[in-house]
Amino acid sequence: QVQLVESGGGLVQAGASLRLSCAASGRSFSSYAMGWFRQAPGKEHEFVARISWTGGNTYYADSVKGRVTISRDNAKNMVYLQMNSLKPEDTAVYYCAVARSPYTDDTDSVRLGSWGPGTQVTVSS
């Protein structure tokens, strides 16, 4: 059974940095694209970033591009989201997700895959 667990969230001031981690278990994820989504209060889930199964390709939402870096360590079944220059509008619950099928690299495949329970990020002004 696939299990994803996020960590690293917290309360920070605007301009600070956070590094979110996602520990994946249940099987090898080295053939699966993975990504991060977020949901702010009263809003829909929003795509943040995605990384291909090799780690060679990364994709970002325009709202975070240049401030966020996604990476992965397939040997450890870990995915990371380094967030810099945080803004109050980044406040949300952040979710890690894994694609529903191997060797697919698109946002919908990750969105429709398995998700973790999320970690809260709060950025104060």
Side-chain angles (χ1 to χ4, degrees), residues 5 7 23-25 28 35 45 50 65 72 80 88 93 98 101 107 114:
V5 179
S7 61
S25 61
S28 173
H45 287 103
R50 185 179 96 241
K65 198 172 294 182
R72 66 190 297 163
Y80 307 98
V93 177
V98 60
S101 300
T107 299
S114 299

Side-chain angles (χ1 to χ4, degrees), residues 35-100:
W36 289 90
F37 295 83
R38 68 186 181 185
Q39 186 175 30
K43 295 188 176 182
E44 299 288 326
H45 287 103
E46 175 190 19
F47 165 75
V48 177
R50 185 179 96 241
I51 188 165
S52 62
W53 62 90
T54 64
N57 294 313
T58 56
Y59 311 86
Y60 300 96
D62 288 342
S63 58
V64 302
K65 198 172 294 182
R67 300 188 296 119
V68 165
T69 302
I70 187 171
S71 61
R72 66 190 297 163
D73 185 336
N74 284 341
K76 297 181 179 179
N77 267 1
M78 296 289 295
V79 177
Y80 307 98
L81 190 70
Q82 177 68 43
M83 302 190 294
N84 302 322
S85 303
L86 283 163
K87 305 175 181 180
E89 50 264 44
D90 294 318
T91 295
V93 177
Y94 284 71
Y95 301 89
C96 172
V98 60
R100 61 178 176 175

